[in-house]
Amino acid sequence: MSISQELESYFSCPPDDTSLSDISLNRLPSHVSIIMDGNGRWAQARGLDRALGHKAGVSSLKEIVTASVRLGIKVLSVYAFSTENWKRPQHEVTLLMHLFATTLVKELPLFAQENVRLRFFGNIDALPATTRKVFKQGLQQTQHNTGMVFALAVNYGGRYDLVQAAQSIATQVQDGKLKPSDIDEEVLSSYLYTSGLPDPDLVIRTSGEMRLSNYLLYQIAYSELYITKTLWPDFTKWDFLRAIKSYQERTRRFGGVRS
Ligand code: FPP
């Protein structure tokens, strides 16, 4: 089976749904970032505990990671836990930390098979010891992979990202390694958690909320936003194609005029 036949078959779907032929594989967004929202509502609508919503969310995530690799997306990042999510009930926070660690351990063979390199956005040093250990193990084991970068934003906040960058830059200036006049957009970017990665071209938010929730505030200045009412556990590879199709229908002007 050729690569394109394999891809066709992976994305085969009912004829009235969005299909692979609706998108152009040579104009894909380089970096897709997702605010995965709606796990709790998905569970509550079924009379289930919120925990089961997060577990179902892991299945969606796995599907979207696989779909992204197959399509040839260069960077996929997802907002898994914000600096504000510590305010959730303790048992939910514990469950999420456990889920991140167990999922990562379980999926390490998949990352090896798919040549996926892991990254984390956020202060992972402040996470519980087991989660931190697994994350560091994941970074180490995937560091030489050359395929898609899969970045998990955990204990991440856009404002905190800017604060920690400002602190690092100030230290460099204090130590005489950087002059204030050297600080430009490129230098600032290089101190953010996303350092070395392209800014997101497309940001997808599930569950219909029209807000950014303190996510990648600096980096998404010119990202295209796609908001769907679909709850994260219901989000499929075809929903992903639909978001990419919508992105490809837009004209990106970056403040300029249409050429
Ligand atoms: C938002 O839904 C979702 C989260 C805060 C957690 C997202 C985490 C996962 C999908 C698991 C990912 C696993 C790994 C390994 C990264 P919500 O709980 O805010 O939903 P609600 O708004 O309906 O209450």
Side-chain angles (χ1 to χ4, degrees):
M1 213 191 265
S2 73
I3 291 176
S4 61
Q5 277 171 329
E6 216 175 285
L7 204 57
E8 274 292 347
S9 126
Y10 176 72
F11 281 105
S12 65
C13 62
D16 59 339
D17 211 328
T18 304
S19 74
L20 191 62
S21 59
D22 291 319
I23 67 161
S24 164
L25 290 174
N26 53 18
R27 286 194 304 115
L28 290 171
S30 293
H31 181 172
V32 180
S33 200
I34 308 181
I35 303 176
M36 309 179 288
D37 196 13
N39 294 348
R41 274 163 284 170
W42 183 91
Q44 275 153 6
R46 287 162 180 75
L48 303 170
D49 189 80
R50 291 174 60 83
L52 291 169
H54 294 312
K55 284 190 182 152
V58 172
S59 303
S60 296
L61 182 55
K62 199 172 164 196
E63 177 165 327
I64 300 310
V65 169
T66 307
S68 300
V69 169
R70 304 247 170 137
L71 285 170
I73 300 285
K74 292 195 172 63
V75 184
L76 174 72
S77 54
V78 296
Y79 202 11
F81 193 88
S82 75
T83 45
E84 289 73 35
N85 285 152
W86 296 107
K87 292 183 217 153
R88 292 189 175 212
Q90 185 57 45
H91 71 271
E92 186 171 346
V93 170
T94 306
L95 172 112
L96 281 168
M97 292 300 152
H98 180 71
L99 198 59
F100 297 153
T102 50
T103 306
L104 218 66
V105 169
K106 193 160 154 249
E107 301 307 337
L108 277 176
L110 174 76
F111 298 151
Q113 180 197 313
E114 302 288 359
N115 197 20
V116 168
R117 183 155 58 95
L118 266 182
R119 276 277 294 257
F120 293 97
F121 303 158
N123 183 7
I124 65 167
D125 288 330
L127 300 180
T130 331
T131 312
R132 198 168 63 227
K133 192 168 154 222
V134 168
F135 281 12
K136 295 204 165 155
Q137 184 192 344
L139 282 177
Q140 211 174 21
Q141 289 192 16
T142 64
Q143 65 181 328
H144 299 301
N145 291 352
T146 54
M148 186 180 83
V149 171
F150 174 45
L152 285 172
V154 180
N155 195 18
Y156 178 85
R159 289 181 176 177
Y160 178 71
D161 198 358
L162 287 162
V163 167
Q164 66 78 29
Q167 287 175 345
S168 301
I169 291 172
T171 305
Q172 295 288 307
V173 171
Q174 194 176 38
D175 294 349
K177 293 181 183 150
L178 199 64
K179 293 200 293 286
S181 57
D182 290 335
I183 305 164
D184 57 13
E185 291 183 10
E186 207 176 315
V187 169
L188 178 54
S189 290
S190 73
Y191 283 87
L192 296 173
Y193 283 119
T194 44
S195 167
L197 298 178
D199 287 339
D201 300 294
L202 169 64
V203 174
I204 299 171
R205 180 171 188 144
T206 57
S207 95
E209 308 289 353
M210 307 290 267
R211 54 177 170 260
L212 296 174
S213 301
N214 198 15
Y215 189 50
L216 299 177
L217 298 178
Y218 184 85
Q219 299 89 334
I220 62 177
Y222 277 103
S223 305
E224 295 296 326
L225 305 180
Y226 179 85
I227 294 169
T228 171
K229 286 199 167 140
T230 303
L231 304 176
W232 178 247
D234 290 327
F235 193 83
T236 64
K237 55 190 169 186
W238 298 293
D239 292 306
F240 192 56
L241 286 185
R242 208 169 291 129
I244 293 174
K245 179 170 182 261
S246 166
Y247 165 83
Q248 291 185 334
E249 285 164 355
R250 320 249 181 115
T251 307
R252 301 185 78 193
R253 293 191 297 274
F254 300 95
V257 290
R258 194 177 184 153
S259 54

